[in-house]
Amino acid sequence: MFNGADSEEISMDDAENRVKTGIPGFDELCGGGLIRDRTYLISGTSGAGKTNFGIQFIYNGITKYGENGIIIATEERPEQIRKNVSKFGWDLKKLEDEGKLAIIDACSTKIGVPSQEKYVDVRPFDIRSMLDQIITTQEQINAKRAIVDSTTSISFFLQEPAKIRIELLKLSTTLEILGLTSMMTCEIIDETNPSRFGVENFVTDGTIMLYYDRHENVRLHSMEIYKMRGTDHSKKIHPYDITPDGFVIHPHRDLYTMA
Ligand SMILES: Nc1ncnc2c1ncn2[C@@H]1O[C@H](COP(=O)(O)OP(=O)(O)O)[C@@H](O)[C@H]1O
Ligand SMILES: [Mg+2]
């Protein structure tokens, strides 16, 4: 479909191996969906839409494809996440009550506020304890998808790139071993670099960039599959809208001809 196939390309009809995001316009950009049990970095500046994109992947997984999900929230408290996405009509609480979704609160303890959540990472900050909590949660809900939002707050805690690389590798490998196809968000300040600490994209199998750029007197959202191991994918930059129903990507529309 797209030129420039990766050497490890898998068969396009290997549909079982594909995890559909269900995000309108996205799956056709990468041969039908993400590759199962792999981890993807979602990079973008603040406000680009990383959290919403990741939650839409989880929400669609549960509601369209019968795949349970785990949200590991290191940056916003679960209550904020539930409230923010309710404007898209996504009722996370209902899915949690049905045992299809778990939101791990890995934020409250870190900032020193109490948490009433069912799944809480109780220690101040330590990847080992977070992995234990993910493993316990996975035993309970048998999820197929996860999002870690965000790697940036974890990385600021760890500080050193060598340490960040090892700890994020442990995290992505654990998610893969648990049978989770995952997204990890990364907040960047310079759109020419897909990672904040220079290492996050080394521990993931693909990188999706979300842009929110000024063009004349407006800002436009666009996205790019920057890297995706094991599959052919679009090499173009595609505009997207955040609509009342969530993300809609326009695979066949050019960025600056929005008519
Ligand atoms: N109902 C909505 N309609 C349109 N855009 C929205 C809506 N809700 C949020 N947004 C957009 O979503 C962006 C925030 O998305 P978010 O996923 O929180 O960003 P990030 O995690 O990258 O900081 C905002 O910039 C805003 O423009
Ligand atoms: Mg966010």
Side-chain angles (χ1 to χ4, degrees), residues 148-185:
V148 179
D149 187 33
S150 74
T151 62
T152 312
S153 48
I154 298 173
S155 302
F156 269 116
F157 181 81
L158 297 168
Q159 290 192 343
E160 290 163 36
K163 202 167 178 193
I164 295 168
R165 185 171 180 162
I166 289 180
E167 297 300 318
L168 291 182
L169 182 62
K170 280 187 207 165
L171 179 58
S172 64
T173 307
T174 303
L175 295 170
E176 292 177 22
I177 290 171
L178 290 172
L180 292 158
T181 307
S182 308
M183 292 184 180
M184 305 204 299
T185 65

Side-chain angles (χ1 to χ4, degrees), residues 56-169:
Q56 192 165 352
F57 166 68
I58 298 291
Y59 183 82
N60 286 348
I62 298 168
T63 57
K64 294 188 180 179
Y65 306 110
E67 297 192 345
N68 290 352
I70 300 176
I71 298 169
I72 299 128
T74 71
E75 198 154 285
E76 287 178 278
R77 286 178 298 113
E79 205 41 53
Q80 293 170 287
I81 293 178
R82 290 185 194 103
K83 194 164 167 232
N84 287 345
V85 303
S86 66
K87 60 186 178 287
F88 299 120
W90 305 339
D91 185 351
L92 300 187
K93 191 81 184 71
K94 174 171 174 284
L95 302 180
E96 292 175 81
D97 292 343
E98 291 169 356
K100 296 173 180 170
L101 172 68
I103 308 182
I104 298 177
D105 183 354
C107 174
S108 295
T109 312
K110 182 160 61 87
I111 58 173
V113 298
S115 175
Q116 307 298 324
E117 296 294 326
K118 182 174 176 188
Y119 303 98
V120 190
D121 185 8
V122 288
R123 277 164 277 182
F125 214 97
D126 154 46
I127 290 276
R128 185 66 252 167
S129 96
M130 185 186 288
L131 296 182
D132 288 345
Q133 183 63 59
I134 294 170
I135 292 166
T136 308
T137 307
Q138 175 64 339
E139 280 165 4
Q140 293 179 30
I141 77 159
N142 189 26
K144 296 281 179 230
R145 303 179 182 212
I147 170 177
V148 179
D149 187 33
S150 74
T151 62
T152 312
S153 48
I154 298 173
S155 302
F156 269 116
F157 181 81
L158 297 168
Q159 290 192 343
E160 290 163 36
K163 202 167 178 193
I164 295 168
R165 185 171 180 162
I166 289 180
E167 297 300 318
L168 291 182
L169 182 62

